[in-house]
Amino acid sequence: METFLGLDYNVWWFLVFGGVISGYAILDGFDLGAGALHLLLNKEQSRRIAMNAIGPVWDGNEVWLVIGGGALFAGFPVAYAAIFSAFYVPFMIFMVGLIFRAVAIEFRSKEPMLWWRKTWDIVYNIACIVIALSLGLMLGNVAYGIPLNADKEFAGNWMSFFHPFPIMVSITTLALFLMHGAIYLTMKTENRLYTKMHLLANNFTVFFVLSFVITTLYTLLYIPHLCDQFRQNPSLFLLPVLMILAIANIPRQIKKGLYRYAFLSSAVTIALLLIMVAVEIFPYLLYASNDIKNSITIHNAAASAKTMKILLIIALIGTPLVGLYTAFVFWTFKGKVKLDEMSY
């Protein structure tokens, strides 16, 4: 099998896909968190500031989701077909949430009436919560596994998605995004709103830690196949250690008022959580909970070696360009939010 730097192209494309999804979770995660806590801000000015904090970046952050879908389709077409057909209902709910979030952000400021703005505030809040919960539910089911038949097609029903583990992952995802978003808004606000965001960041950190601990205990006790890789490779124990250190550093930096470092630790936490999920499921892309022989792997779902080689070259060129663009936007709009006549 042809390799690049000692790894075959299937593994490389698995890493590319994982990296892109991690980028999306980190970048759109704080957007979704800011939206999920939106109704906790009571004043009109506070809500406008919070919305304008994500205003320059939220739509650009969604580019990473598009790249992730393209990477899955191009590199692992069998997995793409199985995942998108199996998760049709939760994915459509997720897409509707994305649509209504965008509409709410753009429409809210078009009219000055109080009822108009409150209506779109509610839509915006619900959409962000639904998106976060949908992402967590799909991630939880990918990790836990879903019933597949011999043709690699979904063999369950929509109730199959609501196992306790995916539900706990869903709640943990929402808690993680709330914490991530609150920390981001703390960096972008001043005065009384800054004080409120500081308190919310602390509260959501506690919410996330509790959710994470409960989900982790459930995993260790009742889903042994997700721990197999760590048992077989003791060196991988470094990953959960680093993740715990990153989580512990978040309240430490918040207490010191160093929110950029707290945000960085939150981003590292998201990345390490997804890396751990990738390690736990590798080499599976979709684990068959009814019969492991029906599982979809990076080998039986992959495109041809030539296709993956060409795509990898394109990805190595294109992905850094998107990263540079994202960094440029964040650099351009750095600092505290100031409202003007062009603001949302």
Side-chain angles (χ1 to χ4, degrees), residues 37-343:
L37 61 80
H38 190 68
L39 293 184
L40 297 177
L41 308 177
N42 299 319
K43 294 183 178 180
E44 166 68 10
Q45 186 180 24
S46 297
R47 291 182 178 183
R48 287 190 67 202
I49 290 172
M51 195 165 279
N52 280 277
I54 67 161
V57 298
W58 69 269
D59 48 354
N61 292 341
E62 288 184 354
V63 170
W64 292 87
L65 179 64
V66 178
I67 297 173
L72 184 62
F73 172 74
F76 302 109
V78 175
Y80 178 90
I83 290 171
F84 278 77
S85 59
F87 295 113
Y88 185 82
V89 173
F91 190 77
M92 288 306 298
I93 293 171
F94 167 74
M95 291 300 296
V96 169
L98 285 178
I99 292 168
F100 274 97
R101 177 180 70 156
V103 172
I105 291 173
E106 296 297 336
F107 276 29
R108 185 188 187 276
S109 61
K110 300 304 182 185
E111 298 290 345
M113 295 87 75
L114 184 62
W115 67 267
W116 174 270
R117 296 194 170 193
K118 282 190 173 181
T119 298
W120 289 115
D121 283 338
I122 294 170
V123 171
Y124 175 54
N125 179 254
I126 293 174
C128 289
I129 292 173
V130 166
I131 294 168
L133 291 174
S134 299
L135 283 171
L137 190 70
M138 288 186 281
L139 176 64
N141 276 286
V142 167
Y144 179 72
I146 61 173
L148 297 172
N149 61 26
D151 295 321
K152 316 300 182 188
E153 296 174 347
F154 181 51
N157 55 58
W158 67 275
M159 286 300 294
S160 305
F161 301 129
F162 294 97
H163 185 273
F165 176 73
I167 291 173
M168 283 187 280
V169 172
S170 186
I171 294 170
T172 303
T173 301
L174 176 60
L176 177 57
F177 287 172
L178 281 166
M179 176 187 72
H180 199 45
I183 295 170
Y184 177 77
L185 289 179
T186 308
M187 294 192 300
K188 305 293 287 184
T189 55
E190 298 176 293
N191 304 323
R192 293 181 67 181
L193 181 56
Y194 167 87
T195 303
K196 182 163 188 173
M197 293 315 307
H198 173 86
L199 293 172
L200 288 175
N202 276 316
N203 292 338
F204 288 135
T205 300
V206 173
F207 178 31
F208 165 66
V209 170
L210 289 175
S211 302
F212 172 73
V213 169
I214 292 170
T215 304
T216 301
L217 286 174
Y218 187 91
T219 304
L220 293 172
L221 290 173
Y222 301 111
I223 314 179
H225 79 264
L226 291 181
C227 305
D228 290 345
Q229 294 281 12
F230 290 94
R231 293 194 187 96
Q232 296 168 10
N233 302 280
S235 60
L236 292 174
F237 185 68
L238 180 63
L239 288 175
V241 170
L242 289 174
M243 186 180 60
I244 291 171
L245 291 175
I247 294 172
N249 194 48
I250 295 171
R252 176 173 171 267
Q253 299 298 344
I254 291 175
K255 185 176 181 180
K256 293 167 67 175
L258 301 174
Y259 295 101
R260 289 186 180 180
Y261 293 113
F263 183 77
L264 180 61
S265 293
S266 181
V268 170
T269 298
I270 294 173
L272 287 172
L273 278 169
L274 289 172
I275 289 171
M276 286 183 62
V277 171
V279 168
E280 288 165 350
I281 67 173
F282 185 83
Y284 300 105
L285 292 168
L286 198 57
Y287 183 83
S289 57
N290 56 327
D291 187 349
I292 192 172
K293 295 178 182 177
N294 297 339
S295 298
I296 298 173
T297 71
I298 64 170
H299 301 291
N300 64 22
S304 67
K306 185 176 181 180
T307 299
M308 300 193 87
K309 182 178 181 179
I310 294 171
L311 289 172
L312 183 61
I313 294 171
I314 296 172
L316 291 175
I317 296 171
T319 305
L321 291 176
V322 177
L324 287 172
Y325 157 78
T326 303
F328 173 75
V329 172
F330 276 86
W331 178 261
T332 302
F333 294 98
K334 67 182 185 297
K336 305 293 185 179
V337 174
K338 304 291 183 183
L339 296 178
D340 56 36
E341 67 276 3
M342 300 299 293
S343 301

